[in-house]
Amino acid sequence: MFRVAENQTRSEAARSAWVYRQDVLVRLLRSGGKLAREEDRQYIVTPSADGFDRDMVRFAGKYSDRGQEFAVSKPGEEHREIDLDASIAEALGDSIGGDNDARDGVSYDFFPLSAEKQKHYVFKLKGTEIWRGRNVFRITFEPLKNKDEDGGPIWAGEVLIDKTDFAPVLITTHQSRGVPLAVKTLLGTNLRQLGFKITYQKFDNSVWFPASYSGEFKLRALFLYSRTISMGLVNSDFRHADVDSKIQFENPELSP
């Protein structure tokens, strides 16, 4: 796992040399599986000096009201004075793939493989297998017993590690403990079946890049609002960023 942490850091830095397309989908369902709202975005992601830039090049969205579906023209567009569906869909669409603290935009809070996060988890080797043609270790993880307190790590799951590169190829997580009872009682808020999955693909013989990332959970808030929410992204069309710099003088006479 120490080698995995080293490779995570190294690979994340190398990802800054790539330009790619990113498709993001957020869907909110009412009870019974009926659509409440859906937002579908497409971005072009390019590296920058301190991270990355995401430019939205396409958007499609819709909401359902009294059995009819209506189109929306931009993220978060409301159709009533208080529209929680619009606010949640916009916030999730902005956040998934848009973490400014990560070079590739993916939040790794749910996937505790960095050297610092590994300190708070127990890892167990469950065996080896072949996954999509690659030899991998299957490893489970859960929070340390003495870390099961408010504010401590809450994730458990498993990871498949490539046996040659010591890089994760698939990570799945689930919430190992629930929302504190005080939050449920005072705010009427609860999250259930909270879980995430991320897959990686190898590029250029050295770089492992997040290829897909998804999550799903059930949200009940303020005693009246209840939704099943799914969100995901797919990265594709990878290509090396072209570095082409030049100096342009405002006064032509100063130009060499």
Side-chain angles (χ1 to χ4, degrees), residues 229-242:
I229 302 174
S230 60
M231 55 184 180
L233 68 78
V234 175
N235 293 327
S236 60
D237 295 343
F238 292 90
R239 57 190 185 276
H240 271 292
D242 295 325

Side-chain angles (χ1 to χ4, degrees), residues 183-196:
V183 176
K184 296 181 184 180
T185 303
L186 296 176
L187 302 180
T189 300
N190 192 16
L191 291 172
R192 294 189 295 118
Q193 297 179 357
L194 186 65
F196 295 87

Side-chain angles (χ1 to χ4, degrees), residues 6-216:
E6 283 188 323
N7 287 336
Q8 282 283 92
T9 302
R10 187 182 306 112
S11 190
E12 186 176 356
R15 291 171 200 152
S16 62
W18 294 80
V19 176
Y20 55 95
R21 165 182 161 178
Q22 185 176 91
D23 292 278
V24 173
L25 177 66
V26 177
R27 181 179 290 130
L28 286 73
L29 301 178
R30 297 186 177 92
S31 59
K34 296 180 180 179
L35 179 71
R37 188 179 183 96
E38 179 179 286
E39 292 192 2
D40 186 1
R41 313 181 189 189
Q42 184 180 113
Y43 295 94
I44 297 298
V45 184
T46 56
S48 65
D50 55 355
F52 63 93
D53 293 318
R54 286 203 309 177
D55 295 316
M56 189 166 62
V57 296
R58 186 184 66 81
F59 174 83
K62 59 184 178 181
Y63 69 91
S64 176
D65 189 12
R66 296 181 176 88
Q68 291 186 306
E69 293 185 354
F70 303 90
V72 292
S73 59
K74 62 181 182 179
E77 183 178 86
E78 299 180 344
H79 71 281
R80 57 169 63 101
E81 185 175 354
I82 299 177
D83 193 340
L84 289 179
D85 289 336
S87 299
I88 292 174
E90 181 181 21
L92 292 177
D94 288 342
S95 64
I96 184 168
D99 188 342
N100 291 323
D101 293 328
R103 297 291 297 186
D104 51 26
V106 173
S107 173
Y108 290 97
D109 290 341
F110 313 122
F111 311 110
L113 297 186
S114 68
E116 179 59 33
K117 287 185 170 59
Q118 284 187 25
K119 298 176 183 177
H120 307 292
Y121 285 83
V122 175
F123 295 85
K124 295 180 180 179
L125 176 64
K126 292 299 182 179
T128 61
E129 60 188 80
I130 297 177
W131 189 79
R132 295 185 179 179
R134 307 195 72 92
N135 292 311
V136 299
F137 298 107
R138 180 178 292 273
I139 298 172
T140 61
F141 58 88
E142 61 182 11
L144 289 169
K145 297 301 182 182
N146 62 348
K147 292 294 182 179
D148 190 25
E149 72 277 350
D150 288 349
I154 65 170
W155 303 108
E158 67 177 22
V159 54
L160 301 183
I161 302 291
D162 183 89
K163 293 178 69 174
T164 301
D165 291 358
F166 285 87
V169 298
L170 170 66
I171 314 173
T172 58
T173 65
H174 62 268
Q175 192 177 5
S176 64
R177 58 188 176 89
V179 174
L181 180 61
V183 176
K184 296 181 184 180
T185 303
L186 296 176
L187 302 180
T189 300
N190 192 16
L191 291 172
R192 294 189 295 118
Q193 297 179 357
L194 186 65
F196 295 87
K197 176 186 292 186
I198 187 169
T199 65
Y200 290 83
Q201 187 174 346
K202 189 176 182 179
F203 294 92
D204 201 30
N205 295 322
S206 60
V207 180
W208 288 84
F209 211 100
S212 64
Y213 172 35
S214 60
E216 182 174 288

